[in-house]
Amino acid sequence: MFARRTYEKRRLALRNNFEDGIILICGNSLSPANYRDNTFPFVQDSTFLYYFGLNKENLIGVIDIDKEQEYIFGNELTMDDIIWSGPQISLGDQCKLVGVENLLPYEDIKRFLYEVKHSGRKIHYINQYLPNNIINIADWLEIKPNEVNDYVSEKLSYAVVEQRNYKTPEEVQEIIKAVNVTREMHLKAMKIAKPGMKEYEVAAALENVAKSKNCTLSFLTICTVNGQTLHNHYHGNTLKEGDLLLIDAGAKTESGYCGDMTTTFPVSGKFTPLQKEFYNLLISMFDKASELIRPGITYKEIHLEVCKVLAKGLVEKNILKGNVDEIVEKGVHALFMPHGLGHMLGLDVHDMENIGEVIVGYNGEAKSTQFGLASLRLGRELEEDFVFTVEPGIYFIPELIKKWKNENKFPEYINYEELEKYMNFGGMRYEGDFLVTKTGNIRLGETMVKSPEEVEEVRAKAFK
Ligand code: GLY
Ligand code: MN
């Protein structure tokens, strides 16, 4: 948690966007996994955490613009809470730590919102994703659950994004902490993975690094010898000589900030010559992005320039043919990288994705529907203090290649015969986290291994 002043300043800045009405920010509740008392780990709503700082379930934050008052609705500790969960600082005192003077019982929110609604005042809230909150808001506002997101306040959505997209120095410090733990998770995997091990053994070892640093995970770990499956959460394969192991994993610090990193390394310890060629191409894509990141350029332009590096590399390998600019303009290269180059990073690994990708990543401008570009979460002009990922990939997805071949898609650009040789190649991705500075960028965190030589040097430790 930051100092009280941080939350007071954030709420004041938010409030200053509005003339009247109230802002309603719902915290999250515990979600049962298989019965009420056996829940998924608690993850606080990031917007609630940003403005109200309390990492605790069943709290509702309200900013009353007309009355210049702030409230938290939540229930004070009971003796039962103390018996089962131990003595804790009272909720009233926790509210004071984040500068909120008014703590009201959770049950009072219904009456409070009834009065606001029936006095004709506007209630601003952002898009809701948690079923509990959807049902509650429907109940409080006397609407149907499936109507809740029809009444989202666009003004509030833009105002929140306008604040959360710019990371303050204290936020950047937290993200750096998360990235450094994330880096250690990846290095741990590189130092222990060996042929014969199961993917889940490597995943357990790297996740334990996060746990041992008092962090949770930013998202479900990807640790797979089938890196061509983009979000592969299966961990049951045995690592074999010649495989590439792709790990996409990150730590979330106690304060909620996330790291996100992907590495790909050879199970055998050394890349095969062919793997090394593609890995070098992958790193040249990553380096192209880091050369270009600065205020004023759009992330979409960077994405497209990186795709040109990929296309050029594939033309040199005789997998693609023709003009590189045309290949990228038509989206042919997306056969080998169907996802976007990156996304905003902060309290969420895909920061604020719940508020809306077009608002966060495109400032309201329409997103392309072209295959590949349609998956680009961030396209807007970059500004100082934005933090986001850069994660180029190269994949040979046999099912997709076969589909395109059967449809005879882009025969003038794709050498399908040559492509047959790569059907079992798999996939690779490399990812780092960047901050935009006044004139350029900084890759956040301590220096991370990147080149094939650096990767092989760390991998050698697994075989000592
Ligand atoms: N690191 C997972 C993702 O970016 O989707
Ligand atoms: Mn990512």
Side-chain angles (χ1 to χ4, degrees):
M1 195 193 284
F2 296 121
R4 189 177 53 142
R5 194 77 199 105
T6 293
Y7 302 104
E8 288 172 345
K9 268 168 49 188
R10 287 174 177 177
R11 290 192 300 267
L12 183 63
L14 181 64
R15 196 203 289 178
N16 284 341
N17 291 286
F18 295 84
E19 313 267 280
D20 50 24
I22 70 152
I23 296 166
L24 171 69
I25 300 178
C26 296
N28 283 347
S29 48
L30 282 161
S31 294
N34 48 355
Y35 51 90
R36 198 200 64 181
D37 286 350
N38 191 25
T39 65
F40 290 111
F42 178 67
V43 181
Q44 183 58 289
D45 175 78
S46 299
T47 302
F48 183 88
L49 202 54
Y50 184 84
Y51 291 105
F52 289 94
L54 301 181
N55 192 9
K56 188 176 164 26
E57 66 273 19
N58 299 334
L59 300 175
I60 310 290
V62 168
I63 301 173
D64 190 325
I65 294 135
D66 308 292
K67 300 194 176 139
E68 298 188 1
Q69 289 291 325
E70 295 166 341
Y71 305 87
I72 286 181
F73 292 83
N75 292 333
E76 193 46 275
L77 294 174
T78 62
M79 184 48 71
D80 239 27
D81 292 323
I82 293 166
I83 291 168
W84 289 93
S85 307
Q88 297 153 53
I89 97 166
S90 73
L91 185 54
D93 285 345
Q94 289 187 54
C95 290
K96 289 199 181 94
L97 290 178
V98 295
V100 177
E101 294 298 328
N102 304 307
L103 171 67
L104 294 173
Y106 188 89
E107 291 65 34
D108 286 9
I109 187 74
K110 188 166 177 167
R111 172 108 218 126
F112 182 92
L113 292 177
Y114 182 90
E115 281 167 13
V116 171
K117 182 181 163 184
H118 289 277
S119 60
R121 297 166 67 203
K122 179 105 184 91
I123 299 169
H124 296 273
Y125 61 88
I126 56 172
N127 182 64
Q128 301 297 313
Y129 56 90
L130 198 75
N132 254 5
N133 285 338
I134 292 174
I135 291 166
N136 284 338
I137 290 177
D139 178 36
W140 301 332
L141 302 187
E142 305 161 298
I143 54 179
K144 295 200 184 96
N146 64 1
E147 292 171 342
V148 166
N149 283 332
D150 295 343
Y151 295 103
V152 159
S153 163
E154 195 168 271
K155 191 174 164 102
L156 179 62
S157 305
Y158 276 95
V160 170
V161 168
E162 184 62 16
Q163 267 183 282
R164 286 183 55 193
N165 258 348
Y166 302 87
K167 274 35 181 201
T168 60
E170 65 183 351
E171 289 186 284
V172 171
Q173 284 316 308
E174 284 301 314
I175 298 173
I176 289 173
K177 278 188 209 161
V179 174
N180 283 338
V181 176
T182 300
R183 171 182 172 274
E184 285 188 42
M185 292 161 73
H186 284 258
L187 290 175
K188 177 76 181 179
M190 281 187 195
K191 287 177 192 165
I192 60 135
K194 273 206 236 191
M197 281 176 86
K198 291 285 191 183
E199 291 164 336
Y200 55 73
E201 292 178 89
V202 182
L206 72 94
E207 288 184 358
N208 192 41
V209 173
K211 269 204 163 147
S212 69
K213 304 275 175 188
N214 198 25
C215 290
T216 55
L217 301 177
S218 304
F219 56 95
L220 293 179
T221 298
I222 298 168
C223 177
T224 178
V225 291
N226 290 314
Q228 75 282 4
T229 304
L230 304 181
H231 276 175
N232 194 338
H233 294 125
Y234 179 71
H235 292 161
N237 293 304
T238 305
L239 313 190
K240 298 189 311 296
E241 298 274 356
D243 282 343
L244 288 170
L245 185 64
L246 183 153
I247 293 174
D248 187 348
K252 186 173 175 75
T253 63
E254 203 180 6
S255 61
Y257 287 87
C258 294
D260 188 8
M261 197 179 276
T262 309
T263 49
T264 308
F265 56 82
V267 167
S268 315
K270 287 202 177 288
F271 289 99
T272 65
L274 186 68
Q275 285 171 344
K276 199 181 240 184
E277 280 174 36
F278 280 105
Y279 188 82
N280 275 323
L281 175 57
L282 178 72
I283 297 307
S284 63
M285 292 160 73
F286 183 85
D287 289 345
K288 173 55 97 182
S290 62
E291 262 168 45
L292 293 174
I293 295 168
R294 58 182 150 72
I297 190 167
T298 68
Y299 196 79
K300 185 174 170 183
E301 285 173 78
I302 300 175
H303 169 91
L304 292 172
E305 286 306 314
V306 166
C307 293
K308 285 180 196 167
V309 175
L310 170 63
K312 183 166 176 285
L314 295 175
V315 167
E316 282 163 7
K317 289 189 170 22
N318 197 29
I319 294 170
L320 290 180
K321 50 194 175 180
N323 179 282
V324 163
D325 291 349
E326 268 177 46
I327 287 172
V328 171
E329 196 192 319
K330 296 195 172 156
V332 183
H333 67 282
L335 177 57
F336 307 97
M337 185 176 128
H339 62 72
L341 185 64
H343 50 82
M344 290 290 195
L345 180 72
L347 284 167
D348 306 297
V349 67
H350 293 174
D351 210 24
M352 296 169 277
E353 200 156 286
N354 60 311
I355 297 177
E357 224 168 75
V358 164
I359 299 177
V360 180
Y362 288 82
N363 200 21
E365 276 174 34
K367 209 172 144 185
S368 167
T369 54
Q370 188 186 64
F371 180 67
L373 266 182
S375 299
L376 178 62
R377 293 183 161 96
L378 174 58
R380 71 194 291 165
E381 188 174 307
L382 299 183
E383 294 179 53
E384 190 181 354
D385 300 332
F386 282 7
V387 172
F388 49 76
T389 69
V390 170
E391 46 186 305
I394 307 174
Y395 314 93
F396 293 88
I397 306 169
E399 296 78 4
L400 184 62
I401 295 170
K402 280 184 206 144
K403 181 171 186 285
W404 279 34
K405 188 179 176 186
N406 289 342
E407 290 168 1
N408 199 26
K409 245 182 131 160
F410 301 121
E412 65 279 36
Y413 298 112
I414 303 172
N415 191 347
Y416 284 107
E417 213 176 284
E418 185 67 15
L419 201 40
E420 286 297 325
K421 295 183 195 160
Y422 298 93
M423 283 303 207
N424 296 320
F425 184 86
M428 46 174 66
R429 180 162 69 248
Y430 185 82
E431 178 179 23
D433 305 326
F434 286 79
L435 166 72
V436 182
T437 59
K438 218 177 261 318
T439 53
N441 70 78
I442 298 171
R443 181 174 175 182
L444 297 175
E446 285 167 35
T447 311
M448 181 56 180
V449 295
K450 187 175 72 171
S451 70
E453 294 72 27
E454 287 164 352
V455 171
E456 288 177 354
E457 197 181 321
V458 179
R459 288 291 293 131
K461 299 193 166 111
F463 300 92
K464 273 204 179 132

